[in-house]
Amino acid sequence: LGTAIQNLINDNLRFINTAFLAKIVKINTNTVDIQPILKQNASDKDLIINNCLIAFNHSQLWDIQHKLKVGDIGIALVMQNDISTYKQNGAGGVVATRRFKDFNDAIYIPLSLYTSFANADINYQIKDLGGTCLFEFDNSFDCNLTANNITSKANDNTTIISGAKNEF
């Protein structure tokens, strides 16, 4: 009896959605449609989860965002409760349904998982994969900026100071 109960518990836990690797199959205005990249069985149908919010690094003072492309891989997190109210107005409130860990309440986080640099080889880097634009603090804490065109904008009270003897 104990084994049968444990098997039922394990089966139920197996079907609770929490997090999974996913790829973008469609980009909407500010949401994405995603598809899990791994299946339990080869015969499983392809599941498409529509209109997932995209999680970029953001605070009330700073925002980091970049362009996404169909085929990008990241992590989908399935929220504990129905997030449709938040999707509509960006604010909290009472959940609209009793949904619990449902694919409809997934968010997508674009990440580099398999193609990351070795930790010893990188300090901080922002670059396009075509190699045209690069902003990098290397391991000697030098800053490199590479681009076809560099535009600097400053207001009347801004001073640009260079650590080198010559100012730009």
Side-chain angles (χ1 to χ4, degrees):
L1 182 62
T3 302
I5 291 172
Q6 187 61 49
N7 287 339
L8 286 172
I9 292 170
N10 290 342
D11 284 344
N12 284 331
L13 290 175
R14 189 171 310 142
F15 294 107
I16 294 177
N17 305 312
T18 56
F20 54 94
L21 295 176
K23 71 177 176 181
I24 297 174
V25 295
K26 182 180 175 194
I27 298 172
N28 309 306
T29 303
N30 62 348
T31 64
V32 291
D33 298 352
I34 60 172
Q35 178 179 41
I37 64 169
L38 300 169
K39 298 178 181 182
Q40 291 291 322
N41 300 300
S43 62
D44 287 350
K45 293 181 181 178
D46 289 334
L47 173 67
I48 304 292
I49 302 155
N50 296 313
N51 297 313
C52 294
L53 293 174
I54 308 160
F56 286 107
N57 196 349
H58 176 83
S59 75
Q60 292 183 50
L61 298 173
W62 292 94
D63 186 43
I64 299 173
Q65 189 169 336
H66 49 81
K67 188 173 284 291
L68 299 173
K69 187 175 176 185
V70 169
D72 284 349
I73 296 193
I75 294 177
L77 299 177
V78 179
M79 300 294 99
Q80 180 172 318
N81 296 310
D82 178 351
I83 62 170
S84 57
T85 301
Y86 183 82
K87 282 178 151 179
Q88 291 172 1
N89 62 28
V94 177
V95 295
T97 69
R98 296 184 52 87
R99 279 197 314 245
F100 177 73
K101 295 189 179 179
D102 188 282
F103 283 128
N104 291 307
D105 302 309
I107 62 170
Y108 176 79
I109 305 171
L111 294 172
S112 172
L113 300 165
Y114 187 75
T115 59
S116 299
F117 292 105
N119 192 55
D121 296 336
I122 193 85
N123 225 356
Y124 184 83
Q125 182 181 87
I126 301 171
K127 71 173 187 163
D128 75 315
L129 294 181
T132 306
C133 297
L134 169 69
F135 177 77
E136 173 184 39
F137 289 97
D138 65 22
N139 287 332
S140 62
F141 295 97
D142 289 332
C143 179
N144 303 305
L145 177 59
T146 305
N148 287 340
N149 297 298
I150 299 172
T151 303
S152 176
K153 293 183 181 181
N155 62 33
D156 293 339
N157 301 323
T158 302
T159 304
I160 298 174
I161 301 172
S162 171
K165 294 187 181 199
N166 298 321
E167 289 189 23
F168 342 135

